[in-house]
Amino acid sequence: MQDKQQTLFERVGGEHAISDLIDKFYDRVIADPELKPFFTDSSMDKLRRMQREFFSVALDGPITYTGRPLSHVHHGRGITRHHFALYVGHLIDTLQSRGINDQDVQDIIGRINTYAGEITGDFGSVG
Ligand code: HEM
């Protein structure tokens, strides 16, 4: 039985596990020919640091996100729903390759999908 008292943050293994997960995830993202061009002018160190915080907060971890609002960071970069779907696909692959159970993967992706509008600027229905 799953311990319902644990947060998702705890269930995936806490701070160290998330740090490692984000590293592996971004290795996949920047190896994707359709996503790589978005990141050529970005500081990947800072991005990974902010993403660790952001994911930790999104999974109910005891962390504060110190980055900029997601809509500001992503606005005007030409990120579409298609790019968003590729990005989420890499996240699913990363989570599954770490043996995180299907229910937790679904919960995590459900939370991440709620940011699709802020990232793409497209607040229409998910399609
Ligand atoms: C739910 C999905 C996503 C989340 C939660 C997310 C989160 C973040 C965060 C926390 C940062 C750092 C903010 C800061 O520096 O203050 C960031 C930066 C960035 N993100 Fe995302 N992101 C998502 C999807 C995407 C997608 C799909 C793309 C491109 C295809 C993308 C491209 C970028 C780029 C290029 C930066 C760096 C901006 C810079 O150089 O300052 N993101 N993202």
Side-chain angles (χ1 to χ4, degrees), residues 38-39 42 46-47 51 54 65 68 74 77 84 87:
F38 288 102
F39 295 93
S42 298
K46 183 185 178 213
L47 180 55
Q51 275 287 9
F54 188 86
Y65 173 60
R68 294 165 290 167
H74 298 89
R77 291 179 188 270
F84 187 84
Y87 179 96

Side-chain angles (χ1 to χ4, degrees), residues 38 73-84 119-122:
F38 288 102
V73 178
H74 298 89
H75 182 81
R77 291 179 188 270
I79 302 171
T80 64
R81 289 261 171 181
H82 169 69
H83 299 119
F84 187 84
I119 305 289
T120 62
D122 170 9

